[in-house]
Amino acid sequence: MKWFLTICSIFAFASGPVSAYLGHPEILLVSTIGFVTLIFVANLDRISEFKASRDGIEARTREVVARAESAVSELQLLAVQVAELSLSLVKRQGRWGGYSDEEEEAIRKSVIAVLSKLKIPNSEMESVLKEWHRIVEFDYSHHILGGSSIPNNAAPEVLSEWKAMREGGIAKFPSPQEIMSFLVKNDYLTHELDELVKDYRFYCVNRFHKRPEVWQQRRDWGQLRKS
């Protein structure tokens, strides 16, 4: 159908000058209008928007729209990847003495705000923050277990268990329940540690800190001692 209309439009366009040459100039206008109409109808499937204005006629084709949508999708994908990498680097760099908690949070909020403006889906937002949350959880487990200080007066088997819980690094670290079991079994559980484990569990579920002021003091939580 499309090719048929295109061929007809060509005949309509050619008939104008021929008719004028044969002494029928009024047909020239009719043939021109017919040509434009047939060309328009023949390409109707490619037209996504048609707008008349004082400056002329503007037509946007589906091809142009498709390219624009593709560009937006690629921009969104790039934004997600850059955001994920940026947040990961912020959490990984320096580990100690790098960005302050306030600076980290400001950067996180800024990145999330940009992604929101780009209309990144919530599922992608969760992917961007996955590494961020994982490192926060690692820090909870690391500092609840005493940071870099070995448990006070720990028996060899207790020290071996403590080291085993930490040797996985950021890739594999103990859950709140595993830490609680270790503390209870080895008589390290205190009221303060119980609350810290609850804070850790709360973050795993809600993805924000139950007691931000306590979290900011995590480097001072201290060494494990018998309760």
Side-chain angles (χ1 to χ4, degrees), residues 149-173:
S149 301
I150 64 174
N152 186 50
N153 296 325
E157 62 274 13
V158 175
L159 185 58
S160 177
E161 183 180 1
W162 179 82
K163 289 181 178 179
M165 296 179 71
R166 298 160 54 87
E167 65 185 6
I170 295 177
K172 188 178 184 301
F173 48 87

Side-chain angles (χ1 to χ4, degrees), residues 144-145 165 174-186 189-190 193-198 201:
I144 290 174
L145 290 173
M165 296 179 71
S175 67
Q177 184 57 46
E178 290 172 328
I179 291 178
M180 179 62 76
S181 297
F182 172 81
L183 296 176
V184 171
K185 182 175 73 172
N186 296 293
L189 185 64
T190 63
L193 285 174
D194 182 54
E195 292 300 315
L196 290 176
V197 174
K198 289 178 181 177
R201 185 180 296 113

Side-chain angles (χ1 to χ4, degrees), residues 95-109:
R95 298 309 297 145
W96 317 130
Y99 292 100
S100 67
D101 287 339
E102 292 78 8
E103 290 171 330
E104 287 185 357
E105 186 62 17
I107 293 172
R108 186 188 70 85
K109 288 182 177 179

Side-chain angles (χ1 to χ4, degrees), residues 91 95 101-102 104-105 132-133 135-144 196 199-200 203 208-221:
K91 292 303 291 183
R95 298 309 297 145
D101 287 339
E102 292 78 8
E104 287 185 357
E105 186 62 17
W132 179 281
H133 293 315
I135 296 175
V136 171
E137 291 174 9
F138 166 81
D139 279 354
Y140 265 112
S141 67
H142 177 78
H143 291 293
I144 290 174
L196 290 176
D199 290 347
Y200 179 14
Y203 187 88
F208 62 90
H209 300 290
K210 181 180 180 181
R211 299 185 296 169
E213 70 285 356
V214 174
W215 164 253
Q216 292 175 0
Q217 302 302 317
R218 59 192 176 279
R219 296 180 182 86
D220 300 324
W221 289 352

